[in-house]
Amino acid sequence: MRTVIQGGRVIDPANGVDSVADVYIAEGRIQAVGETPPDLRADETIDAAGCIVCPGLVDMHVHLREPGQEWKEDITSGSRAAAAGGVTSVACMANTRPVNDRRSVTEQIKATATSVGLARIHPIGAVTCDLAGEALTEMNELYSAGCVAFSDDGRPVPDAGVMRQALEYAATFGYLLILHEEEPTLSDGGAMNEGAHATRMGLGGIPNASEDVMIARDLILAELTGSRIHIAHVATAGGVDLIREAQARGLAVTGEAAPHHLFLTDANVGAFDSHAKMAPPLRSLADREAVRGAVADGTLTAIATDHAPHEADAKNEVFACCANGVTGLETLLGLTLKLVDESVLDLATALDRVTRGPAAVLGLDAGRLGVGDVADVCILDPNARWQVDPAGLHSRSVNTPFTGWELRGRVERTLLGGRAVFPFAQEPTGG
């Protein structure tokens, strides 16, 4: 299939491109941007006038729930949500049931994703067996089966000795560890950020130190072992400072911010709103501004959703007991563009943080539109406004704190290897 995307504003942060140009695709890859290849006769022409043409988005932190919790999300529904959100590359966390701590689970995820064919699904393997924080997994075997990184996300690795062993193992092979930073003895019993709002509501608080202590520990251990680490969902000003200082000293550390930590604070818990409960919790306004600043200056090079779908019953329990997590695949683009509207980021930087940035952290062949690159493309109308309505989302679960928000930027078409995967040919039947 040979395709020409005509007349769109091509923004490719990885290659420094921002201009109105045609994009030529053949055999699933970019053939040219701008000048027409002499031997390319298009089978399809896509009119992108008035639209932005950018690399397909890369979400490096997603919970797809399959295998084992398919009533919350499965690879099919998660892939549909990704395609509808302009996301072509998805890295899925290991806290499935069974845990992705063995080759057979990784291979099952890869095979199912290939069968669905709506997004590139990249499994992340567990650091420890059954996420128990004790015995290390066979990372080399998991990597050979298709894992792109390793994480016990959803849980920390509380034992410093185990973490040192994991980092030494990873350093031997050049693997990336993605770390959920939480000191359990400081966060146990807490339901939201420690502060005035928690006190007023009579809820147990989780101090910033719960994150900061573990970030500091793991930076020290990464320096000791020469390992490469990535800090997931950074939410505190102290965490930002620790990462920035470590980078200044030359440590191989990267980090990400989640959209909910870039827009919401503990005040948004409001009247015990369970959709505002996540781990790490929503922090203070000062923390939010520090995280925004870190995304702007490149301390944090990725915006990643921590897409964590839950069925209604899991969110309808009392606040202190309900499940942590929010969905995010379909609001990622709109919220990223909202950072542009609020003058936090310029447009090129905003798109970089959801394309080239996360792709570079994971070492993926994604997030760019240079000649020869895979033709994973998002075509979006930057002026179209839409309201977040759970009834219109494609995820199996719709636990979003952004219901009713008006966002800018509607995905018009998503291409995966040059093949249109959104809009969908037909809506699924059944639940």
Side-chain angles (χ1 to χ4, degrees), residues 264-277:
L264 306 176
T265 71
D266 54 354
N268 290 104
V269 173
F272 301 92
D273 181 3
S274 64
H275 293 310
K277 184 168 187 267

Side-chain angles (χ1 to χ4, degrees), residues 89-107:
S89 295
V90 172
C92 56
M93 287 296 176
N95 58 341
T96 50
R97 296 181 181 176
V99 170
N100 186 12
D101 59 3
R102 67 207 79 171
R103 171 183 285 274
S104 60
V105 178
T106 305
E107 290 176 342

Side-chain angles (χ1 to χ4, degrees), residues 120-133:
R120 302 186 193 280
I121 306 299
H122 302 282
I124 293 173
V127 174
T128 65
C129 295
D130 204 34
L131 308 181

